[in-house]
Amino acid sequence: MRPQLTSPDAHSIASPSSPSSAISASDRRLNALVRHLVDASPAMDSQNLKDTVSASPTSGFHADSVFAHVVRAPEDPILGVTVAYNKDPSPVKLNLGVGAYRTEEGKPLVLNVVRRAEQQIVNDRARVKEYLPIVGLADFNKLSAKLILGADSPAIQENRVTTVECLSGTGSLRVGGEFLARHYHQRTIYIPQPTWGNHPKVFTIAGLSVKTYRYYDPATRGLNFQGLLEDLGSAPSGAIVLLHACAHNPTGVDPTVQQWEQIRQLMRSKALLPFFDSAYQGFASGSLDADAQSVRMFVADGGECLVAQSYAKNMGLYGERVGALSIVCKTADIASRVESQVKLVVRPMYSNPPIHGASIVATILKDRDMYNEWTIELKAMADRIISMRHQLFDALRAKGTPGDWSHIIKQIGMFTFTGLNSEQVAFMTREYHIYMTSDGRISMAGLSTRTIPHLTDAIHAAVTGVV
Ligand code: PLA
């Protein structure tokens, strides 16, 4: 029925059968506009206007929007690189920004073992989609603690580890940070300089105060070990220290085992609380155990620590958002009280975590055959990244590009911290359509044999032509 101007519906475009209380907010805004236009131009009836005015979110109501003052935020320094890349129509464009594994063909990879696990999950009619408990999937939590701390970890055997499934590495850091802000006596967290760009934001929002410790020496393109020891040595007793368990992002520079041991002694002597970020277990060396060594050294001494784990990279579960926060405590009783408080952090934040990713991980970790298949696929990813390092290094040497590029093969993990400055990066993006973060970090996992010559040409032009 077409409403007439004179009818009681003249100021409403809701159909007569729909009660006005049920109309949506956008319908209400549309009605207001129609009312305004009808009043201004009596020749038009409301149906005409309804046909010409669309309720799409882009229609212009800005003048009276309660959000009119909102200023546009800048894109994220890492994820924004992908946004810019997606807009570039060039056929030679290359995204080396975000740390996401690509095959030799430049395609995202879903691991075979993940497909198998998913198939098994889908075929199991007993599986339901009920809410998980606040702490997540119990099996997943147990197996995750075992994966990072080691199957024979006394801390696990003594039940003094609480593990909570969280939304990937980021969510684990966020929940751990907020737990500390609420219940730990020292609210300062020291993060390495530089570090993953999201760390300061995550911890600040969690309620901690963020300070930095020296980590990287641009002159040697290696660890500033002296600076690190000095800064942690002068940190207030009890301060929290964020440590990258392996494959430091963005520098690709990790302490040696001996250096870890010195860091451990210093931190324990000053009662500094270690918070490990383990986002690349297995990606650095290809071995899950070797990449967990730093964490295990700190757990072996009987002291307390936190660990945030991510399955984004090592199982390729980026978008499933699956990870875990483990808090290693002195006693089982303390661990269970800590867990009760972590639940109070999670419940008002997102209530409880998603089920699918955690089910995939648990299925793989609990089946010996699938676990073995995973380690083989993981090693293949790590090896391909290492091979990209050698190919890029060889190509730059063959081309005679000025500079010592040996850091490309020395650095560890997903990224090379090239040493290119932001002007050189901007030049490479503008002239060669190569996308990377402005600090000169490139994701080695985004490269392939086919794209190495293009990157080599770009780096050569950048270092020879751009100041
Ligand atoms: N911690 C470190 C050190 C990381 O590098 C990343 C991801 C995370 C935590 C969080 O990962 P997750 O939440 O997906 O598990 N860093 C990426 C992606 C790979 C990103 O910035 O979100 C990077 O390109 O640096």
Side-chain angles (χ1 to χ4, degrees):
M1 174 185 157
R2 184 178 154 146
Q4 300 301 306
L5 273 176
T6 49
S7 81
D9 260 343
H11 286 171
S12 168
I13 53 164
S15 84
S17 58
S18 69
S20 60
S21 61
I23 66 173
S24 70
S26 64
D27 280 344
R28 270 198 304 276
R29 280 198 308 273
L30 190 52
N31 283 340
L33 178 67
V34 167
R35 199 156 56 233
H36 176 76
L37 292 175
V38 166
D39 290 344
S41 158
M44 286 190 107
D45 71 18
S46 57
Q47 185 59 43
N48 270 337
L49 284 164
K50 187 187 169 190
D51 293 340
T52 50
V53 177
S54 108
S56 85
T58 52
S59 53
F61 289 90
H62 42 81
D64 49 358
S65 165
V66 294
F67 304 117
H69 64 287
V70 174
V71 294
R72 184 173 308 283
E75 288 285 359
D76 181 82
I78 297 175
L79 301 184
V81 173
T82 303
V83 175
Y85 168 85
N86 286 338
K87 286 186 191 151
D88 186 341
S90 167
V92 297
K93 67 180 178 175
L94 186 56
N95 188 2
L96 305 178
V98 69
Y101 185 83
R102 296 286 176 268
T103 62
E104 259 298 301
E105 292 72 44
K107 297 272 183 316
L109 179 69
V110 178
L111 300 185
N112 237 332
V113 70
V114 166
R115 296 244 191 250
R116 265 177 76 194
E118 280 189 311
Q119 206 54 60
Q120 190 171 308
I121 291 165
V122 167
N123 291 343
D124 182 355
R125 305 291 299 176
R127 280 187 191 263
V128 292
K129 304 283 189 189
E130 289 289 284
Y131 289 130
L132 286 180
I134 296 172
V135 294
L137 195 66
D139 271 0
F140 166 87
N141 289 339
K142 260 193 232 114
L143 293 158
S144 294
K146 220 170 101 179
L147 185 70
I148 187 70
L149 303 182
D152 52 357
S153 166
I156 296 177
Q157 280 151 19
E158 291 155 17
N159 269 326
R160 48 189 185 82
V161 185
T162 168
T163 304
V164 177
E165 177 196 337
C166 294
L167 277 72
S168 213
T170 310
S172 308
L173 294 165
R174 174 70 175 80
V175 170
E178 188 166 326
F179 167 78
L180 291 172
R182 288 196 201 178
H183 299 284
Y184 186 60
H185 67 92
Q186 244 292 356
R187 303 239 158 72
T188 305
I189 185 163
Y190 282 77
I191 60 174
Q193 172 61 36
T195 192
W196 178 49
N198 216 16
H199 277 148
K201 302 172 199 170
V202 167
F203 292 125
T204 303
I205 265 180
L208 297 173
S209 137
V210 174
K211 293 212 165 110
T212 59
Y213 63 89
R214 277 172 286 169
Y215 188 85
Y216 178 73
D217 182 356
T220 61
R221 296 210 170 105
L223 187 66
N224 181 354
F225 192 50
Q226 204 48 45
L228 178 151
L229 293 178
E230 280 169 26
D231 289 352
L232 296 188
S234 53
S237 169
I240 309 156
V241 179
L242 190 277
L243 301 161
H244 293 227
C246 69
H248 183 274
N249 177 10
T251 65
V253 173
D254 285 350
T256 63
V257 175
Q258 291 74 24
Q259 287 170 333
W260 272 122
E261 177 53 21
Q262 269 179 272
I263 297 169
R264 188 192 66 76
Q265 285 176 15
L266 171 68
M267 285 183 57
R268 290 309 193 198
S269 74
K270 296 204 56 184
L272 301 175
L273 181 65
F275 193 159
F276 282 98
D277 182 355
S278 177
Y280 299 95
Q281 189 183 357
F283 245 76
S285 67
S287 154
L288 287 157
D289 289 323
D291 289 354
Q293 205 171 354
S294 58
V295 178
R296 292 179 191 176
M297 285 167 73
F298 277 77
V299 177
D301 67 15
E304 298 175 303
C305 69
L306 290 85
V307 190
Q309 278 171 275
S310 166
Y311 290 96
K313 271 69 71 171
N314 58 13
M315 263 191 209
L317 293 175
Y318 305 88
E320 295 291 353
R321 311 308 295 143
V322 58
L325 171 71
S326 285
I327 307 183
V328 180
C329 305
K330 287 272 180 181
T331 69
D333 177 50
I334 296 171
S336 97
R337 280 185 277 136
V338 163
E339 181 168 303
S340 73
Q341 288 294 340
V342 173
K343 285 162 71 176
L344 298 190
V345 174
V346 168
R347 173 66 169 147
M349 201 190 291
Y350 53 86
S351 190
N352 48 71
I355 197 166
H356 188 66
S359 305
I360 296 171
V361 174
T363 302
I364 293 170
L365 295 185
K366 77 167 98 155
D367 179 298
R368 185 189 296 261
D369 178 46
M370 285 199 197
Y371 183 91
N372 288 339
E373 184 177 351
W374 174 44
T375 59
I376 292 164
E377 290 190 84
L378 176 58
K379 175 92 170 53
M381 289 193 285
D383 285 349
R384 199 186 84 72
I385 294 171
I386 292 167
S387 135
M388 287 302 112
R389 291 187 179 282
H390 286 279
Q391 289 187 31
L392 179 60
F393 174 68
D394 291 347
L396 286 166
R397 255 214 325 213
K399 205 171 170 76
T401 306
D404 172 11
W405 297 96
S406 61
H407 56 287
I408 295 177
I409 45 180
K410 284 188 208 135
Q411 292 174 357
I412 296 160
M414 209 161 197
F415 303 107
T416 290
F417 207 41
T418 58
L420 295 164
N421 62 37
S422 58
E423 286 83 30
Q424 291 168 325
V425 170
F427 166 84
M428 287 168 60
T429 305
R430 199 172 56 243
E431 302 295 328
Y432 288 82
H433 305 274
I434 291 175
Y435 289 80
M436 54 200 277
T437 52
S438 62
D439 59 1
R441 184 192 86 166
I442 58 177
S443 169
M444 299 308 285
L447 272 174
S448 68
T449 306
R450 188 176 49 82
T451 53
I452 288 227
H454 183 56
L455 176 61
T456 309
D457 289 349
I459 293 178
H460 189 88
V463 299
T464 53
V466 182
V467 201

